[in-house]
PDB file of all heavy atoms in Angstrom:
ATOM      1  N   ILE B 123      21.160  22.164  12.169  1.00 95.00           N
ATOM      2  CA  ILE B 123      21.665  20.985  12.861  1.00 95.00           C
ATOM      3  C   ILE B 123      22.042  19.994  11.768  1.00 95.00           C
ATOM      4  O   ILE B 123      21.196  19.579  10.979  1.00 95.00           O
ATOM      5  CB  ILE B 123      20.575  20.425  13.783  1.00 95.00           C
ATOM      6  CG1 ILE B 123      20.278  21.438  14.878  1.00 95.00           C
ATOM      7  CG2 ILE B 123      21.001  19.089  14.359  1.00 95.00           C
ATOM      8  CD1 ILE B 123      18.955  21.207  15.558  1.00 95.00           C
ATOM      9  N   GLY B 187       8.956  16.718  -5.918  1.00 97.00           N
ATOM     10  CA  GLY B 187       8.563  15.922  -4.762  1.00 97.00           C
ATOM     11  C   GLY B 187       7.608  14.780  -5.047  1.00 97.00           C
ATOM     12  O   GLY B 187       7.190  14.087  -4.120  1.00 97.00           O
ATOM     13  N   TYR B 256       9.565  44.932 -17.015  1.00 93.00           N
ATOM     14  CA  TYR B 256       9.227  44.330 -18.305  1.00 93.00           C
ATOM     15  C   TYR B 256       9.932  45.091 -19.413  1.00 93.00           C
ATOM     16  O   TYR B 256       9.348  45.923 -20.102  1.00 93.00           O
ATOM     17  CB  TYR B 256       7.707  44.339 -18.517  1.00 93.00           C
ATOM     18  CG  TYR B 256       6.946  43.599 -17.456  1.00 93.00           C
ATOM     19  CD1 TYR B 256       6.003  44.238 -16.669  1.00 93.00           C
ATOM     20  CD2 TYR B 256       7.179  42.247 -17.230  1.00 93.00           C
ATOM     21  CE1 TYR B 256       5.295  43.557 -15.688  1.00 93.00           C
ATOM     22  CE2 TYR B 256       6.484  41.552 -16.252  1.00 93.00           C
ATOM     23  CZ  TYR B 256       5.549  42.219 -15.487  1.00 93.00           C
ATOM     24  OH  TYR B 256       4.863  41.536 -14.529  1.00 93.00           O
ATOM     25  N   PRO B 284       0.673  59.162  -9.571  1.00 94.00           N
ATOM     26  CA  PRO B 284       1.210  57.821  -9.347  1.00 94.00           C
ATOM     27  C   PRO B 284       1.417  57.526  -7.863  1.00 94.00           C
ATOM     28  O   PRO B 284       1.863  58.381  -7.100  1.00 94.00           O
ATOM     29  CB  PRO B 284       2.547  57.863 -10.094  1.00 94.00           C
ATOM     30  CG  PRO B 284       2.388  58.935 -11.104  1.00 94.00           C
ATOM     31  CD  PRO B 284       1.489  59.952 -10.487  1.00 94.00           C
ATOM     32  N   GLY B 363       8.670  10.628  26.898  1.00 89.00           N
ATOM     33  CA  GLY B 363       8.584  11.451  28.097  1.00 89.00           C
ATOM     34  C   GLY B 363       9.114  12.849  27.919  1.00 89.00           C
ATOM     35  O   GLY B 363       8.991  13.675  28.817  1.00 89.00           O
ATOM     36  N   ILE B 377      -4.428  42.821  15.270  1.00 98.00           N
ATOM     37  CA  ILE B 377      -4.177  44.059  14.529  1.00 98.00           C
ATOM     38  C   ILE B 377      -3.978  45.172  15.556  1.00 98.00           C
ATOM     39  O   ILE B 377      -4.931  45.567  16.246  1.00 98.00           O
ATOM     40  CB  ILE B 377      -5.347  44.386  13.576  1.00 98.00           C
ATOM     41  CG1 ILE B 377      -5.680  43.152  12.709  1.00 98.00           C
ATOM     42  CG2 ILE B 377      -4.983  45.581  12.687  1.00 98.00           C
ATOM     43  CD1 ILE B 377      -6.878  43.343  11.799  1.00 98.00           C
ATOM     44  N   GLY B 437      -8.916  21.435  -0.611  1.00 97.00           N
ATOM     45  CA  GLY B 437      -7.524  21.038  -0.463  1.00 97.00           C
ATOM     46  C   GLY B 437      -6.751  21.381  -1.719  1.00 97.00           C
ATOM     47  O   GLY B 437      -7.231  21.204  -2.836  1.00 97.00           O
ATOM     48  N   ASP B 442      -5.749  34.864  -0.745  1.00 98.00           N
ATOM     49  CA  ASP B 442      -5.230  35.970   0.052  1.00 98.00           C
ATOM     50  C   ASP B 442      -6.343  36.954   0.345  1.00 98.00           C
ATOM     51  O   ASP B 442      -7.060  37.379  -0.570  1.00 98.00           O
ATOM     52  CB  ASP B 442      -4.109  36.692  -0.696  1.00 98.00           C
ATOM     53  CG  ASP B 442      -2.915  35.797  -0.934  1.00 98.00           C
ATOM     54  OD1 ASP B 442      -2.357  35.296   0.050  1.00 98.00           O
ATOM     55  OD2 ASP B 442      -2.564  35.589  -2.108  1.00 98.00           O
ATOM     56  N   TYR B 461     -14.281  32.015  11.347  1.00 98.00           N
ATOM     57  CA  TYR B 461     -14.679  30.659  11.714  1.00 98.00           C
ATOM     58  C   TYR B 461     -15.292  29.957  10.511  1.00 98.00           C
ATOM     59  O   TYR B 461     -15.696  30.590   9.531  1.00 98.00           O
ATOM     60  CB  TYR B 461     -15.686  30.696  12.867  1.00 98.00           C
ATOM     61  CG  TYR B 461     -17.003  31.328  12.503  1.00 98.00           C
ATOM     62  CD1 TYR B 461     -18.124  30.534  12.240  1.00 98.00           C
ATOM     63  CD2 TYR B 461     -17.132  32.710  12.389  1.00 98.00           C
ATOM     64  CE1 TYR B 461     -19.321  31.101  11.874  1.00 98.00           C
ATOM     65  CE2 TYR B 461     -18.327  33.292  12.022  1.00 98.00           C
ATOM     66  CZ  TYR B 461     -19.431  32.476  11.763  1.00 98.00           C
ATOM     67  OH  TYR B 461     -20.613  33.050  11.381  1.00 98.00           O
ATOM     68  N   LEU B 485      -6.047  45.715  18.879  1.00 97.00           N
ATOM     69  CA  LEU B 485      -5.380  46.266  20.065  1.00 97.00           C
ATOM     70  C   LEU B 485      -5.277  47.784  19.920  1.00 97.00           C
ATOM     71  O   LEU B 485      -5.217  48.308  18.815  1.00 97.00           O
ATOM     72  CB  LEU B 485      -3.980  45.676  20.225  1.00 97.00           C
ATOM     73  CG  LEU B 485      -3.894  44.164  20.358  1.00 97.00           C
ATOM     74  CD1 LEU B 485      -2.449  43.755  20.595  1.00 97.00           C
ATOM     75  CD2 LEU B 485      -4.777  43.648  21.489  1.00 97.00           C
TER      76      LEU B 485
END
Side-chain angles (χ1 to χ4, degrees):
Chain B
I123 295 161
Y256 301 120
I377 309 176
D442 296 301
Y461 66 102
L485 301 184

